[in-house]
Amino acid sequence: MTAGGPHTNFDSSAFTVGAVGGALSIAGALAAGVQNYTRAQRHSWDGWTIEQLRRALDCSEAMRYRGYCDLNDARAANAELERRIADLTFTFKRQAVRRARAAR
């Protein structure tokens, strides 16, 4: 008698073989895709001259530096806003205390 019982006619060993075969097919396709991508990346720089590579690196570094400056500017603006929020919170608390004292 099979694992699924007589009413299902399920052959677990055939199912296992099919599942393993499918998994190996997918793994093989993924490995081939990774190899093709790696090969394409390796050969993508072949036509570049040293001067073109230097210019590309300079452009990349300029873009990274601009991003760094933008991040620092955003952090400074955030710190200023947090300071203003703290000042306003203190002011509101102080006013609430004064109103409470005046109400006595």
Side-chain angles (χ1 to χ4, degrees):
M1 191 174 287
T2 59
H7 63 284
T8 60
N9 198 21
F10 180 77
D11 187 359
S12 62
S13 59
F15 177 79
T16 303
V17 169
V20 169
L24 290 175
S25 296
I26 292 172
L30 286 173
V34 169
Q35 283 179 335
N36 290 338
Y37 176 77
T38 307
R39 190 177 308 114
Q41 289 299 315
R42 191 177 312 127
H43 296 301
S44 67
W45 299 103
D46 287 348
W48 290 58
T49 65
I50 295 295
E51 188 58 32
Q52 288 173 326
L53 289 170
R54 285 185 181 144
R55 287 182 186 163
L57 180 62
D58 290 345
C59 181
S60 173
E61 289 299 316
M63 290 169 45
R64 287 169 54 112
Y65 180 70
R66 183 65 199 153
Y68 170 78
C69 290
D70 289 346
L71 179 62
N72 282 344
D73 291 346
R75 285 180 176 160
N78 190 40
E80 174 62 22
L81 290 172
E82 287 178 352
R83 186 194 61 76
R84 288 178 60 194
I85 288 170
D87 288 347
L88 289 171
T89 301
F90 176 74
T91 301
F92 292 148
K93 286 180 181 179
R94 185 177 57 202
Q95 288 175 349
V97 168
R98 287 180 181 167
R99 272 184 274 180
R101 284 183 185 165
R104 287 186 201 170

